[in-house]
Amino acid sequence: MSKYQHIQEEAYAANMQLPKLGLVLFTFGNVSAADKDLGVFAIKPSGVPYEKLTPGKMVIVDFEGTTVKGKLRPSSDTKTHAVLYKHWPTIGGISHTHSTYATAWAQSLRDIPIFGTTHADHNTVDIPCAPPMDDTMIRGDYEYETGFQIMNCLKQKGLNYEEVEMILVGNHAPFTWGKSAEKAVYNSAVLESIAQMAWLTEQINPEAGRLKDALIKKHFERKHGPGSYYGQ
Amino acid sequence: MSKYQHIQEEAYAANMQLPKLGLVLFTFGNVSAADKDLGVFAIKPSGVPYEKLTPGKMVIVDFEGTTVKGKLRPSSDTKTHAVLYKHWPTIGGISHTHSTYATAWAQSLRDIPIFGTTHADHNTVDIPCAPPMDDTMIRGDYEYETGFQIMNCLKQKGLNYEEVEMILVGNHAPFTWGKSAEKAVYNSAVLESIAQMAWLTEQINPEAGRLKDALIKKHFERKHGPGSYYGQ
Amino acid sequence: MSKYQHIQEEAYAANMQLPKLGLVLFTFGNVSAADKDLGVFAIKPSGVPYEKLTPGKMVIVDFEGTTVKGKLRPSSDTKTHAVLYKHWPTIGGISHTHSTYATAWAQSLRDIPIFGTTHADHNTVDIPCAPPMDDTMIRGDYEYETGFQIMNCLKQKGLNYEEVEMILVGNHAPFTWGKSAEKAVYNSAVLESIAQMAWLTEQINPEAGRLKDALIKKHFERKHGPGSYYGQ
Amino acid sequence: MSKYQHIQEEAYAANMQLPKLGLVLFTFGNVSAADKDLGVFAIKPSGVPYEKLTPGKMVIVDFEGTTVKGKLRPSSDTKTHAVLYKHWPTIGGISHTHSTYATAWAQSLRDIPIFGTTHADHNTVDIPCAPPMDDTMIRGDYEYETGFQIMNCLKQKGLNYEEVEMILVGNHAPFTWGKSAEKAVYNSAVLESIAQMAWLTEQINPEAGRLKDALIKKHFERKHGPGSYYGQ
C-alpha cells in the first residue's frame, strides 16, 4: 500500500464530484488534495475523462511542481496548485473549474458584488477577480505565475486566504481552496451558485446595492468563528 | 413509538422534496411540519446533508423555539419557523430555500409583479419582498426577528397569510408556508417558477404590464374558494 | 374493452411526455386526443399528478364539453379543447402547458419573431400571441371563450390552423395542436425551444432581424408539402 | 461483414452523444464519419429518433452526395457534409446541431468574441458566423450551397479549417468538424459552452473586451502544436 493512498483517494473522490455537481464539461477542471507533512499533493492527470479516473491514476507532485510518483502527466495547471500549497500553510485542497457563471464573471473582469446572505454565509467581501497578468509573465512560466497572480490579488485587496477561499482569475476561470479537497469542491459549487444569482440580481434590478454590513457580519458569524451556530 | 412520529415523517418527506425539485444546493434549505395541538413542530437538523436525513433525525421544537426532543441541533432558522407557527394558527408547514430565481428577486429588493395566470392561479397580488430589518434587530435575536420581519411586511401591505403563502425576505431568500409541509414545499416550487418567468417577461418586454384584474380574479377563483373547479 | 381505449392510451402517452420533456411543473399542463368519428376526446383529469395517471383515468368528453365517460373531473381547460375540436375538423390532438420560455413570451404579449431556420422548419410566420379577451368574456364562460380567443387571433392574422399549429394565449400560456396528441406535444416542445432561442437572440443582438423570405420558404418546404425531403 | 461497418459504428456512437450532451431536441442534429480512402461517409438517416438508431441504419454516401448503401434516406443536410469532405482532405467527421446558445448567436448574425481561455484553448479567433447566402443560391441546391457558404466564410476571413473547426451558419445553426466524428461532436459541445459563456459575459459587462493576444497564444499552444503539454 502506497503512503500516498489517502490523498489519492481524497483527490479522486473530490474530482468525481465536479461532473456530479455540473461544474465541468469534458476534462475542464481539476482538484488536488495535499498532505502537508509529506510535502506533496495528489492531482488529476491531464486530459483524462472523469469516467476513466481511478484513485491510482492521481499523480503525486511536490510543492515545487515536480512529479514524485505516477505514470501519467499531471494536470496542466499543476504548478498553480504547487505554488499555493507552498505559500499557504493551512490549506489541504484546491479546485479549478470552468463552471459557466463563475467563468463568465471572470471573463467580464469584474468582482462579484455581495448581494445577499447566500454570499455572506461564505464570505464577507465581493469575490475578487484577479486582473490578467502582464505579457512577460504569460510568456514565462505561465501556470507558476498564475499562482502568484492569485496571491498578489488577495494581497492587494488586503484579503486573507483563510477567510476568502475563492477567486476569479481574470479572463480565465475560478480557483477555490479549503482545508480539504472536499471543501475546495464545495466552494466551487457555492461560487457557481453565487455567480448565477449575482448576474440575475443585476438583471432584475440594475441598481441593486451591496448587502449592508450588519447582515454581512451576522450571516458570516452564523457559520464561522467562535459564536457560530450552523451545523452540528 | 414517539408521539411526534407523524410530523417527523411529514417533515422528512417534505425536506427530501427540495433536492428533487432542484430548489437547494447542499444544505441550503429547511422545511418544518407542525402539530398545533401538541404545540410543536419537526424541523430539519442544521447542516445535515439531505442524503443522510432520516425521519428520526428531525428535531422537535416548541413554538418558543426550544428543542423538546432530538439529539441534533435544529436548523439555524428554527426561531423564524417558531414565530410564524405561534402567530399564524392555521398553518401546518413552512419551507425555506435559497432557490436561484426567487433568491435573485429577494436580492434585488423588488416585489415580483403579477404578469400572468400561473401567478394568478396561486396569488392575487405581487409576491411581497420584505425590506431588510434595521441594524438593531439584526444584531439582536436575528432569526426571531426575521419572523416579525415577515409578519410586519404582510401587515403593512394589508395581506393575509392564509391568502398569500409566500414572501421574499429582502437580501436573503424566500419563505413559503401552507396547511401542511407538503403544501409549503409546493409553494416553494411554484414561487421559483413564477420568479423565473417574471424575470424573463421583463427581459422580453421591459414595458410588460401587470395582469388585469378580471383575469386575476378569474384564475384565482378557479383554484380557490367556494366556486373553484380545479382538481378532484 | 371500451370503445374509447385507443384515445385514452394516446392521451395518456402524450400527457406522460410533458414531464419527460421538461414542459410542466406539477400538474400545470394537459393533453387530449380526439376520435372525430366518435365525436369525443380523451383528456387528463384535473389536478391529478402525472405519476398517478393511468390510461383508464383519462376522461371522455364530447365536443360540447360534456363528460361522456369517466369518474374524475376533466381538466379545467376542457372547454377550450372542445371548442377547437368542434371547429377544426382535421386536428386530432391538443396540448397545453405553462412551459417557461413560451409562457414568458405570452406574459410579454409579444409574437415570437421568426429569427432562424429552427423556427422556419415548423412555421412560416411569427408565432402569434392572442391579446387578452375583454372582461365580459372573462367573467362569462372563460375556458369556452379561450377557444374563440385562439380562433379569432388566427383569423385576424389571416392564419390557417393547419399551417400554424401553435399559439400563445396572452398573459396565460401556449396551446399547440396537430393531427395527433403526440404531434401536439411535439409542437409544445418545439415552441419552447424556439421561444428560448428567440429570447437569447434579442439579448445577443437587440437589432436582430427576421429571417428572410427565401430561407423561410426553403426550410418550411424541406419538411412540408409535396416537395418535402425531410424524414423517411 | 460490410466494409463500411467501422464508419457506421463511429457515426452511430457520435450521433448518440448528441442527446447525452444535451445538444439536440428530437432529431434536430446529425453527425457523419468519413473514410477518405473509400471516398465515403456514414451519416444519420433523416428524421429517425435517436433511440431508434442502430449502426446498420447509418447511410453510406459518397463525396458527391450520392447514396452508396442503405435503405433509409440520409440526413437532409447530407450534401453539406459531402461538399466539406470533398474539399477538406484531412477531416474525418462533421457534426451539425441546433444547440440553444450557438444557434442563438447564429440567429443574431454575430461572430462569437473570444473572451477567455476556454475559448482560446480551442481557437485563436472569434468563432465566425457565415452571412446568409443570397436568394439565388437558396432557391438552387440549398444544402450543397451551404457547404460553399461555410468554405467561403473561412476563406474571406483568412481562416484555415484545420485550425478553426467550428462555424455558425447565419440564421441557421452551427457546424463543427474534426479528425474524427467523435472530435466533431466534442467541438459541438465546446462551442455550445463558449456560446453560453460569451452571452453571459456581455450581460455582466457590456464593455467586456477580447482576450489579449499573449493569453490567446499561450492557451492555444498549451493544447495544440509541437510544444503542447495538455493531455497524455
Side-chain angles (χ1 to χ4, degrees):
Chain A
M1 198 190 103
S2 157
K3 64 179 172 179
Y4 304 126
Q5 192 179 334
H6 62 298
I7 51 174
Q8 285 182 312
E9 285 178 356
E10 186 187 346
Y12 170 75
N15 272 290
M16 295 308 285
Q17 282 299 307
L18 294 186
K20 276 193 195 159
L21 288 163
L23 298 173
V24 290
L25 175 68
F26 299 125
T27 60
F28 306 173
N30 46 73
V31 186
S32 65
D35 183 316
K36 291 303 183 85
D37 294 331
L38 295 174
V40 298
F41 58 98
I43 191 165
K44 184 177 173 294
S46 182
V48 177
Y50 289 94
E51 61 273 24
K52 297 198 176 166
L53 287 185
T54 60
K57 286 181 181 166
M58 298 295 128
V59 188
I60 305 299
V61 181
D62 69 21
F63 295 168
E64 302 304 321
T66 308
T67 296
V68 170
K69 191 181 173 199
K71 293 172 189 161
L72 298 168
R73 186 190 289 179
S75 164
S76 59
D77 296 302
T78 293
K79 283 188 186 170
T80 309
H81 292 241
V83 167
L84 298 181
Y85 284 126
K86 185 171 176 180
H87 291 85
W88 291 350
T90 63
I91 66 169
I94 297 173
S95 173
H96 170 52
T97 78
H98 287 213
S99 66
T100 305
Y101 297 94
T103 302
W105 279 92
Q107 294 189 160
S108 306
L109 293 181
R110 288 186 57 199
D111 297 353
I112 305 178
I114 183 166
F115 282 133
T117 63
T118 320
H119 188 137
D121 284 336
H122 300 90
N123 278 291
T124 60
V125 296
D126 297 353
I127 310 293
C129 179
M133 60 180 87
D134 67 42
D135 290 9
T136 322
M137 288 162 79
I138 293 168
R139 282 192 220 99
D141 197 345
Y142 175 64
E143 289 80 9
Y144 181 78
E145 298 290 3
T146 300
F148 288 96
Q149 182 190 16
I150 290 169
M151 289 191 295
N152 290 341
C153 174
L154 290 192
K155 206 171 296 172
Q156 278 162 23
K157 288 177 184 273
L159 302 176
N160 183 324
Y161 74 89
E162 290 183 293
E163 287 172 8
V164 177
E165 299 183 326
M166 50 187 73
I167 199 169
L168 307 172
V169 174
N171 286 134
H172 186 165
F175 280 82
T176 61
W177 51 89
K179 296 219 164 170
S180 66
E182 185 185 4
K183 181 70 193 304
V185 169
Y186 169 93
N187 283 332
S188 292
V190 165
L191 171 55
E192 181 67 358
S193 175
I194 288 172
Q196 182 180 12
M197 295 198 302
W199 158 63
L200 285 166
T201 300
E202 293 193 342
Q203 294 278 311
I204 293 168
N205 184 358
E207 309 301 325
R210 291 177 81 254
L211 191 62
K212 61 181 180 171
D213 288 342
L215 272 170
I216 292 174
K217 191 166 143 60
K218 180 69 192 179
H219 267 265
F220 191 73
E221 291 176 355
R222 288 202 332 167
K223 283 205 173 185
H224 306 266
S228 70
Y229 50 96
Y230 185 88
Q232 299 301 325
Chain B
M1 199 190 103
S2 156
K3 64 180 172 179
Y4 304 127
Q5 192 178 335
H6 63 298
I7 51 173
Q8 284 182 312
E9 286 178 355
E10 186 187 345
Y12 170 74
N15 272 291
M16 295 307 286
Q17 283 299 307
L18 294 186
K20 278 194 193 158
L21 288 163
L23 299 173
V24 290
L25 175 68
F26 299 125
T27 59
F28 306 173
N30 46 73
V31 187
S32 64
D35 183 317
K36 291 304 184 84
D37 293 331
L38 295 174
V40 297
F41 59 98
I43 191 165
K44 184 176 173 297
S46 182
V48 176
Y50 288 93
E51 61 272 23
K52 297 199 177 167
L53 287 185
T54 59
K57 286 182 182 166
M58 298 294 129
V59 187
I60 305 299
V61 181
D62 69 20
F63 296 168
E64 302 304 322
T66 308
T67 296
V68 170
K69 192 182 173 198
K71 292 172 190 162
L72 298 167
R73 188 190 288 180
S75 164
S76 58
D77 297 301
T78 293
K79 283 190 186 168
T80 309
H81 292 242
V83 167
L84 298 181
Y85 284 127
K86 184 170 178 182
H87 291 85
W88 291 350
T90 63
I91 65 169
I94 297 173
S95 172
H96 170 53
T97 78
H98 287 212
S99 67
T100 306
Y101 297 94
T103 302
W105 280 92
Q107 293 190 160
S108 305
L109 293 182
R110 288 185 57 198
D111 297 352
I112 304 178
I114 182 166
F115 282 132
T117 63
T118 320
H119 188 137
D121 283 338
H122 300 90
N123 277 291
T124 60
V125 296
D126 296 353
I127 310 293
C129 179
M133 60 180 87
D134 66 43
D135 290 8
T136 322
M137 288 162 80
I138 293 169
R139 283 192 219 99
D141 197 346
Y142 175 64
E143 290 80 9
Y144 181 78
E145 298 291 2
T146 300
F148 287 96
Q149 182 190 17
I150 291 170
M151 288 192 294
N152 288 342
C153 174
L154 289 193
K155 206 171 296 174
Q156 279 161 23
K157 289 177 183 273
L159 302 176
N160 182 325
Y161 76 89
E162 290 183 294
E163 286 172 8
V164 177
E165 298 183 326
M166 50 188 73
I167 200 168
L168 307 172
V169 174
N171 286 133
H172 186 165
F175 279 81
T176 61
W177 51 88
K179 296 219 164 171
S180 65
E182 185 186 5
K183 181 71 191 304
V185 169
Y186 169 92
N187 283 332
S188 292
V190 166
L191 171 56
E192 180 68 357
S193 175
I194 289 173
Q196 183 180 12
M197 296 199 301
W199 159 64
L200 285 166
T201 299
E202 293 193 343
Q203 294 278 310
I204 293 169
N205 185 356
E207 309 301 324
R210 291 178 80 254
L211 190 63
K212 62 181 181 171
D213 288 342
L215 272 170
I216 292 173
K217 192 166 142 59
K218 181 68 192 179
H219 268 265
F220 192 74
E221 291 176 355
R222 290 205 327 171
K223 283 206 171 183
H224 305 266
S228 70
Y229 51 94
Y230 185 89
Q232 301 300 326
Chain C
M1 198 188 102
S2 157
K3 64 180 172 179
Y4 304 126
Q5 192 180 337
H6 62 299
I7 50 173
Q8 284 182 312
E9 286 178 355
E10 186 187 345
Y12 170 74
N15 272 292
M16 294 307 285
Q17 283 299 305
L18 294 186
K20 276 192 194 161
L21 289 162
L23 299 173
V24 290
L25 174 69
F26 298 124
T27 59
F28 306 171
N30 47 72
V31 187
S32 65
D35 183 316
K36 290 307 184 84
D37 294 332
L38 294 174
V40 298
F41 60 97
I43 191 165
K44 183 176 174 296
S46 182
V48 177
Y50 287 95
E51 62 271 24
K52 296 199 177 166
L53 287 184
T54 60
K57 285 182 182 166
M58 298 294 130
V59 186
I60 305 300
V61 180
D62 70 20
F63 295 168
E64 303 303 324
T66 308
T67 296
V68 170
K69 192 182 172 197
K71 290 173 191 162
L72 297 168
R73 188 190 287 181
S75 163
S76 59
D77 297 301
T78 293
K79 283 189 185 169
T80 308
H81 292 241
V83 167
L84 297 181
Y85 283 126
K86 184 171 177 180
H87 291 86
W88 290 351
T90 63
I91 65 169
I94 297 171
S95 172
H96 170 53
T97 79
H98 286 213
S99 66
T100 305
Y101 296 94
T103 302
W105 280 92
Q107 293 189 161
S108 305
L109 294 181
R110 289 186 57 199
D111 297 352
I112 303 178
I114 182 166
F115 282 132
T117 63
T118 320
H119 188 138
D121 284 336
H122 300 92
N123 276 292
T124 61
V125 296
D126 296 352
I127 310 294
C129 179
M133 60 180 86
D134 66 43
D135 290 9
T136 322
M137 288 163 80
I138 292 169
R139 282 192 220 100
D141 197 346
Y142 175 65
E143 290 80 10
Y144 181 79
E145 298 290 2
T146 301
F148 287 97
Q149 182 191 17
I150 290 170
M151 290 192 294
N152 289 343
C153 173
L154 289 192
K155 205 171 295 171
Q156 279 161 23
K157 290 177 183 273
L159 302 175
N160 183 323
Y161 75 89
E162 289 184 294
E163 288 172 7
V164 177
E165 298 183 328
M166 50 188 71
I167 199 168
L168 306 172
V169 173
N171 287 132
H172 186 165
F175 279 81
T176 62
W177 51 88
K179 296 218 163 171
S180 65
E182 185 185 5
K183 183 69 192 306
V185 169
Y186 168 93
N187 284 333
S188 293
V190 166
L191 171 55
E192 181 67 357
S193 175
I194 289 172
Q196 182 180 12
M197 295 198 302
W199 159 64
L200 286 166
T201 300
E202 294 193 342
Q203 295 276 312
I204 293 168
N205 184 357
E207 308 301 323
R210 291 177 79 254
L211 191 62
K212 62 181 181 172
D213 288 342
L215 272 171
I216 292 174
K217 192 166 143 58
K218 181 68 192 179
H219 267 264
F220 192 74
E221 291 176 355
R222 289 201 333 168
K223 283 208 172 182
H224 306 266
S228 69
Y229 51 95
Y230 186 89
Q232 301 300 326
Chain D
M1 198 189 102
S2 157
K3 64 179 172 180
Y4 304 127
Q5 193 179 335
H6 62 299
I7 50 173
Q8 285 182 312
E9 286 178 355
E10 186 188 344
Y12 169 75
N15 272 290
M16 295 308 285
Q17 282 299 306
L18 294 186
K20 276 191 194 161
L21 289 163
L23 298 172
V24 290
L25 175 68
F26 297 125
T27 60
F28 306 173
N30 46 73
V31 186
S32 65
D35 183 317
K36 289 306 184 83
D37 294 331
L38 294 173
V40 298
F41 58 98
I43 192 166
K44 184 177 173 294
S46 182
V48 176
Y50 288 93
E51 63 272 22
K52 296 198 177 168
L53 287 184
T54 60
K57 284 181 181 166
M58 298 295 128
V59 187
I60 305 299
V61 181
D62 69 21
F63 296 168
E64 303 304 322
T66 309
T67 295
V68 169
K69 191 180 174 200
K71 291 173 190 162
L72 297 168
R73 187 191 288 181
S75 164
S76 59
D77 297 301
T78 293
K79 283 188 185 170
T80 308
H81 293 241
V83 167
L84 297 181
Y85 284 125
K86 185 170 177 180
H87 292 85
W88 290 351
T90 63
I91 65 169
I94 297 171
S95 172
H96 170 52
T97 78
H98 286 212
S99 67
T100 305
Y101 297 94
T103 301
W105 280 92
Q107 294 189 159
S108 306
L109 294 181
R110 289 186 57 198
D111 297 353
I112 303 179
I114 183 167
F115 282 132
T117 63
T118 319
H119 188 138
D121 284 336
H122 300 91
N123 276 291
T124 61
V125 296
D126 296 352
I127 310 294
C129 179
M133 59 180 86
D134 67 42
D135 290 8
T136 322
M137 288 162 79
I138 293 168
R139 282 190 219 99
D141 198 345
Y142 175 64
E143 289 80 10
Y144 181 79
E145 298 290 3
T146 300
F148 287 97
Q149 182 190 16
I150 290 169
M151 290 193 294
N152 289 341
C153 174
L154 289 193
K155 206 170 296 170
Q156 281 162 22
K157 289 177 184 272
L159 302 176
N160 183 323
Y161 75 90
E162 289 182 294
E163 288 171 7
V164 177
E165 298 183 327
M166 50 187 73
I167 200 168
L168 306 173
V169 173
N171 287 133
H172 186 165
F175 279 82
T176 61
W177 51 88
K179 295 219 164 169
S180 65
E182 185 185 4
K183 182 69 193 304
V185 169
Y186 169 92
N187 284 332
S188 293
V190 165
L191 171 55
E192 180 67 358
S193 174
I194 288 172
Q196 182 180 11
M197 295 198 303
W199 158 64
L200 285 166
T201 300
E202 293 193 343
Q203 295 277 311
I204 294 168
N205 184 357
E207 308 301 325
R210 291 178 80 254
L211 191 62
K212 61 182 181 172
D213 288 342
L215 272 170
I216 293 174
K217 192 165 142 59
K218 181 69 192 178
H219 268 264
F220 192 72
E221 291 176 355
R222 289 201 332 168
K223 283 206 173 184
H224 307 267
S228 69
Y229 50 95
Y230 185 90
Q232 300 300 327

